[in-house]
Amino acid sequence: MTAAAPVRPPLLDVHDLHAEVGGRALLRGVTLHVAPGELVGVIGPNGAGKTTLVRAVTGLLRHSAGMVRLDGVPLETQPGRERARTMAVVEQLPEAPATMLVRELVLIGRFPHLGLLGRESARDRAIAGQAMARAGCEALADRMLGTLSGGERRRAFIARALAQEPRLLLLDEPTAGLDASAQGEILQVVRTLADDGAGVLMVIHDLSLAAAWCDRLVLLHDGRVVAAGAPAEVVTAEHLARVYGPYVTLLAHPETGAPLVVPAVR
Amino acid sequence: MRARVRTLGPFAGATLLLAVVALLAVTQGTTAIPLSTALAMLLDRLPFISVAAEAPESWQRILFDVRLPRVAAAGVVGAALSYSGAAYQGVFRNPLADPFLLGVASGAALGASIAIVSPLPIDSYGFGWVPLFAFVGACIAVALVYALSRTGGLSNNATLVLAGVAISAIASGITSFMLLTGGPRTFPIFSFLFGGFNTASWPRLLMALPYFVVGAVIVLVQARALNVLQLDEEQAAHLGVDVTRTKIIVLAAASVMAAAAVAVAGVIGFVGLIVPHAVRMLSGNDYRRLLPLTAILGAAFVIAIDLVARRALAPQEVPVGIVTEILGAPFFLYLLRRGRGGSL
């Protein structure tokens, strides 16, 4: 049920987390952890509690029981700016003025590092430039957000998160609404970030992509962890039948043997 | 070097425009004072500078006791209303928010009406009870709106605006009732409702000045947080902004500025909407630049509008609030049509 303890101490340590909204229990005892250099995928059907988990872990939703530790420190004892220097979040549908330039957006990511009246220094601009390079949106620096495609926009917001210089990155559905090629490009960016040492927790709907790109997966259902561990251990016919019902089919990738999940065909 | 010019250029331009408009405004009137004479008289008043200005004694009084306080009041009120409008728009992330959104104008009007109807003496040229009551009325209205909209700790923007609409309606209703039943004694309320600077005086302006200065500094300290708030509130929270605290601080400071402006000059609409919008088109969305530029251009705008209000139908004066609507609205439409458009 639970994965083997990570070798390195976890950046994110979620223990027996409970959360409710309007009296309805949406998380009922979720335990997971993310270590540096690790890409962990959170999967599960609609309503399983994936986005609630992100909101609880980022402090937007106060949990009713359990514990969230960020780099060993309980989440609720940390001031917001300090937290933002450790953890960056990219929401599902982040907003920003359509006339804002990509480089302006990315520079806003430096906020938690600056004093209240401080101006961005040359160093801040350099860090924002590196963030755009890592997210693959350097060429878009002088474009207005309103003129970007879905994939380009996603890169811009990932760059904004990277400008925070976080050690932990939370991504809520970074590939939702993108074409197959843009999905692959975004996941390559995310994979490289983890390989370079960041801990990444990513909510993702697409089970095949999750299995192909993540180090570990956590399968949520009704606010509980149904399975956690290596992709091949989590994405199994038994788990799929239990959580998704009869409308999905499990195949194996012809070259890699990785799990491929497709909607049931009539 | 180039970047420096680009940063300071708009400020230099705006300040120059303000100086020209202000100079023009102090020279024009029933008694026109030649520009060179006015300039000499003004320079002569500065410390360590002595310029021989050949001017009759009456010009001294007209320039320094009548026109200069009026132009200064118009400038300060214009700056305060525009600045406060920019702050409101930042908090609500909506270019249509204006400083009267949460009840400042209607609360001030009710306060002023109570002072006018009450047996208190109406002294329009001194400190006066009317501005004091107007200021207190505006502050009470905004505090009520905030208290009523608080549900479960976090004030939601839509709830705030709706509470603002409701409190404004109640205050306006009571004001109208007092107008209808109060008889001729209530007529001064009209000049308050339309706004203007014909009662401007140094004491009244100096009394309001601290509120403007303190409010402006408090908002400016939050400028970086306002920049982050241009993204949605959740992203701002993820980036370490205490969203609720920032909103309360900025709205309270901006409301006090607007309340002081209304106390000095009555209700002058549209300025808080139009000036920040125009400045955004010129200089972009960085609040550290936007706020000071908005103050300078807001001052120039209202001084110019007041000049029109004094001279258009001279010797009769048109209330300034009416001029901002008749001239300001078409200018606003022009900006909307030629601007980047998409922002509304």
Side-chain angles (χ1 to χ4, degrees):
Chain A
M1 286 288 278
T2 48
V7 204
R8 282 165 287 190
L11 266 176
L12 176 68
D13 185 2
V14 178
H15 181 73
D16 193 25
L17 195 67
H18 291 255
E20 49 188 59
V21 173
R24 231 176 86 82
L26 297 181
L27 295 180
R28 319 176 195 205
V30 173
T31 297
L32 62 83
H33 44 76
V34 180
E38 209 179 16
L39 172 52
V40 179
V42 178
I43 54 175
N46 294 326
K50 302 188 297 292
T51 296
T52 309
L53 177 67
V54 171
R55 291 177 63 85
V57 166
T58 56
L60 287 181
L61 176 67
R62 187 157 292 181
H63 50 268
S64 49
M67 177 68 90
V68 178
R69 280 204 172 86
L70 195 58
D71 207 15
V73 184
L75 184 72
E76 56 277 7
T77 65
Q78 231 170 6
R81 286 158 61 86
E82 202 179 305
R83 189 205 313 150
R85 290 196 289 265
T86 311
M87 172 173 70
V89 186
V90 181
E91 304 168 285
Q92 226 176 96
L93 294 169
E95 289 171 26
T99 55
M100 185 178 270
L101 303 178
V102 171
R103 63 178 161 77
E104 291 173 340
L105 173 73
V106 176
L107 208 53
I108 286 180
R110 295 303 296 160
F111 176 78
H113 292 274
L114 299 178
L116 218 48
L117 292 172
R119 293 198 71 84
E120 292 92 353
S121 62
R123 185 173 166 268
D124 291 312
R125 281 168 209 286
I127 291 169
Q130 287 159 17
M132 286 190 275
R134 293 174 75 191
C137 60
E138 264 174 317
L140 308 173
D142 288 310
R143 292 265 300 275
M144 285 187 206
L145 290 171
T147 69
L148 301 183
S149 73
E152 290 169 337
R153 186 179 170 89
R154 217 60 65 91
R155 287 165 186 275
F157 280 96
I158 290 177
R160 191 228 74 207
L162 294 180
Q164 288 171 243
E165 297 183 290
R167 284 181 293 145
L168 177 70
L169 204 60
L170 257 68
L171 305 169
D172 193 356
E173 298 271 12
T175 57
L178 300 187
D179 64 56
S181 142
Q183 288 185 340
E185 285 168 19
I186 291 284
L187 286 170
Q188 183 61 60
V189 167
V190 174
R191 183 67 251 178
T192 309
L193 294 174
D195 292 343
D196 290 347
V200 183
L201 185 70
M202 170 171 71
V203 170
I204 180 162
H205 246 299
D206 190 304
L207 299 172
S208 309
L209 289 175
W213 291 90
C214 296
D215 297 311
R216 285 192 297 116
L217 295 179
V218 176
L219 174 59
L220 287 186
H221 184 46
D222 277 339
R224 289 193 183 89
V225 177
V226 173
E233 297 163 21
V234 175
V235 184
T236 62
E238 187 216 327
H239 289 146
L240 292 183
R242 188 165 145 212
V243 172
Y244 287 88
Y247 294 102
V248 293
T249 306
L250 178 63
L251 307 170
H253 193 285
E255 284 163 27
T256 64
L260 278 184
V261 182
V262 294
V265 188
R266 197 156 63 106
Chain B
M1 189 63 208
R2 227 218 203 111
R4 201 99 203 120
V5 170
R6 210 166 43 222
T7 318
L8 295 178
F11 283 96
T15 309
L16 188 67
L17 179 70
L18 173 61
V20 168
V21 170
L23 204 56
L24 197 66
V26 293
T27 57
Q28 299 302 304
T30 321
T31 308
I33 302 175
L35 201 63
S36 55
T37 315
L39 204 55
M41 288 163 72
L42 287 168
L43 286 175
D44 193 40
R45 282 283 176 113
L46 292 176
F48 313 118
I49 299 178
S50 179
V51 182
E54 285 187 25
E57 188 56 29
S58 67
W59 285 15
Q60 290 282 344
R61 278 210 315 280
I62 291 172
L63 187 64
F64 291 104
D65 298 340
V66 180
R67 285 195 199 147
L68 211 50
R70 179 166 185 152
V71 168
V76 169
V77 164
L81 287 176
S82 313
Y83 195 95
S84 149
Y88 263 73
Q89 287 146 24
V91 166
F92 287 101
R93 291 186 297 119
N94 189 328
L96 292 176
D98 89 354
F100 301 152
L101 191 66
L102 300 185
V104 165
S106 39
L110 179 57
S113 309
I114 291 172
I116 289 167
V117 170
S118 76
L120 293 166
I122 299 176
D123 168 16
S124 358
Y125 290 93
F127 293 111
W129 290 103
V130 175
L132 186 67
F133 270 58
F135 180 73
V136 173
C139 292
I140 290 177
V142 176
L144 264 179
V145 166
Y146 188 75
L148 287 173
S149 71
R150 276 192 71 164
T151 44
L154 196 110
S155 248
N156 171 293
N157 284 352
T159 325
L160 259 178
V161 172
L162 290 174
V165 170
I167 292 291
S168 294
I170 296 170
S172 308
I174 299 175
T175 306
S176 302
F177 179 76
M178 288 165 70
L179 272 173
L180 278 174
T181 55
R185 187 173 162 72
T186 61
F187 286 169
I189 297 176
F190 284 109
S191 77
F192 184 85
L193 287 179
F194 294 125
F197 299 97
N198 45 340
T199 60
S201 66
W202 288 119
R204 194 186 276 197
L205 184 59
L206 289 177
M207 194 175 63
L209 204 57
Y211 297 101
F212 297 133
V213 174
V214 172
V217 170
I218 290 174
V219 173
L220 197 60
V221 169
Q222 299 295 328
R224 299 201 59 241
L226 284 173
N227 281 345
V228 182
L229 263 180
Q230 291 177 69
L231 316 181
D232 51 86
E233 291 185 6
E234 299 200 342
Q235 280 186 86
H238 292 322
L239 279 159
V241 174
D242 187 334
V243 174
T244 308
R245 185 171 159 271
T246 304
K247 281 163 71 174
I248 295 173
I249 291 175
V250 172
L251 285 181
S255 300
V256 166
M257 289 177 78
V262 173
V264 169
V267 180
I268 299 174
F270 231 66
V271 175
L273 192 64
I274 183 176
V275 176
H277 195 81
V279 174
R280 267 197 186 87
M281 289 177 172
L282 288 173
S283 82
N285 283 316
D286 186 338
Y287 277 83
R288 288 167 296 182
R289 288 159 58 76
L290 178 69
L291 287 168
L293 256 185
T294 299
I296 299 171
L297 287 173
F301 178 71
V302 173
I303 291 171
I305 289 283
D306 182 50
L307 181 60
V308 174
R310 280 192 284 143
R311 300 309 299 157
L313 301 177
Q316 210 193 344
E317 273 197 26
V318 187
V320 171
I322 291 177
V323 181
T324 55
E325 279 170 9
I326 294 175
L327 289 186
F331 178 57
F332 189 60
L333 287 174
Y334 162 75
L335 284 179
L336 273 186
R337 286 192 60 84
R338 59 144 264 202
R340 295 196 264 194
S343 65
L344 290 184

